[in-house]
Amino acid sequence: MSLPLDILMFAALIAAILIGYPVSFVLAGTATAFAALGWATGQLDPNLLGALGQRAFGLLTNDVLIAIPLFVFMGVVLEKSRIAEDLLETMGRLFGPMRGGLGVSVVLVGALLAASTGIVGATVVAMGLIALPTMVRNGYDPKLASGIVCTSGTLGQIIPPSTLLIILSDVMSNAYQQAQYREGKFTIETLSVGQVFAAALLPGLTLVAVYIVYLLARAAFSPGAAPPLAAAGERPGPRAVLRAVVPPVVLIVAVLGSILGGVATPSEAAAVGAVGALLLAAARQPGGSRLILAGAVALGLLAVLAGLVPVRLQRSDAGLAEWLVGAVLTGLVLIGGLAVAAAVRRAARAGILTPVVTSTMTVTAMIFATILTASIFSLVFRGLGGDLRVESVIEAMPGGPQGALVFVMALIFVLGFFLDFVEISVIVLPVVAPLLILMGHDPMWLSVLIAVNLQTSFLTPPFGFSLFYLRGAAPKEITTGQIYRGVMPFIALQIVGMALLWLFPAVATTLPAMLF
């Protein structure tokens, strides 16, 4: 008995990825081949492919996804500006004298970089180049040190802002709407990026706490695995700590605060983050920083005043006060514009601008190409009846809604060994998420639970991206086997984090309920 085409299609996708072909080409090629095969065998209606143009246009005009290149730009600028190095050095000297302290400092720096960059590769490479050699020289178990760096780098996917949460919010919002349509509702609710960001914040910090507790326990029961820093040097004072911590924290507050406070949309907040990161990078370059500082202050005042005192000079009843306020706001715009221009010029002279723009274009193109081709794949997969097959399997799971959710989470976990989070989000979730929501699972809680699961895909061999990033940045004495074995305990901690979120849903639902 021959296998159905939908099953063969998914198996062909996994096989082609394992061979090593680029994911975007694999998705598009597999979809094209099986669309032709389905058409030839009468299992696929060719008229269905007419929706491809609509899907491509919908991707290009999606307001939510516009934030992705801006957040990527922000992260790459911060990577090139050596903020990560200062954070690691300062935190290492602060926590180094305690057992496991250097590992704790790496986790905390990973959390700060996650909330200010959201790029896994940049964080893992930076800490692999700086923190990993220091831990190994100080006597840390190479496997533990590798696991710490890999896992801390993945926090950029669960702590907002992150590209994973942006893509996930769009996919889960569509799934939520489909579930409501199938229930026969006429008033449709949606999920916003701000709600998903708020829901993921506390679970992300919970994972940070779980990592730290594990490191301290490991250092207590096995002192040789994580000894104190032998040559920690003088502990940094409050001023040095503030100088290292305040810049990324200010950026975090500006970006996340504007989204969670309802002041700006994710795209607007991403633009704020991109400009703020550029100003921070320019301020660290040699030369006067007064104009940069004045521009940052001017732009901050502009954001506050524009919200508190909106000016409508085109109105016929605009008086002297409105014109004065308008003049002040115009002056702030000029100062901010001059500062941004100076920042761009200084970044270009320092050789930062070209690699930043190149990296931003590369990462953005990779993400959007994967989303587009995965959309093509999912359309053909649905045309072959794959979505109905998956739904029938989920509905047949024992244990009702809880059993179905366990099956889906296990499926996503296993697929994470082979597929990237983008492919899983765009191919698998549109099929399974509406059914899970129909079964009664809260869409906000479900989004965060899936996000933690997808974060784990960066750690699971053989295709965990964090493992690849660290392999490229780690010293030669760190073997690939040590990296793979080092992440195993942290994969177990990810499962612990998912279990805590499952048992205590309020961790994900409380903050969105308060803010929205």
Side-chain angles (χ1 to χ4, degrees), residues 472-485:
K476 293 182 179 180
E477 59 267 23
I478 302 293
T479 66
T480 303
Q482 288 174 327
I483 295 174
Y484 279 29
R485 291 195 298 273

Side-chain angles (χ1 to χ4, degrees), residues 296-309:
V297 173
L299 292 174
L301 287 174
L302 179 65
V304 174
L305 291 176
L308 295 177
V309 191

Side-chain angles (χ1 to χ4, degrees), residues 100 102-104 106-108 127 132 135 140-155 206-219 225-226 413 417 452-461 466-467 470 482-499:
L102 191 54
V104 171
V106 172
V107 172
L108 292 175
M127 293 194 293
L132 184 58
M135 286 192 283
Y140 267 65
D141 184 340
K143 297 188 295 295
L144 176 62
S146 301
I148 293 170
V149 171
C150 282
T151 309
S152 301
T154 65
L155 288 170
T206 301
L207 280 177
V208 173
V210 169
Y211 299 158
I212 291 175
V213 169
Y214 168 75
L215 288 175
L216 294 178
R218 178 80 179 269
F413 183 81
F417 283 79
V452 177
N453 202 345
L454 291 174
Q455 178 200 354
T456 312
S457 69
F458 280 84
L459 299 173
T460 47
S466 286
L467 310 177
L470 185 60
Q482 288 174 327
I483 295 174
Y484 279 29
R485 291 195 298 273
V487 298
M488 294 304 173
F490 292 94
I491 294 174
L493 292 180
Q494 291 289 121
I495 298 175
V496 170
M498 283 188 277

Side-chain angles (χ1 to χ4, degrees), residues 393-407 436 439-441 502:
V393 170
I394 293 175
E395 290 175 341
M397 284 293 113
Q402 299 300 323
L405 183 55
V406 170
F407 171 76
L436 292 177
M439 288 181 169
H441 295 294
W502 191 307

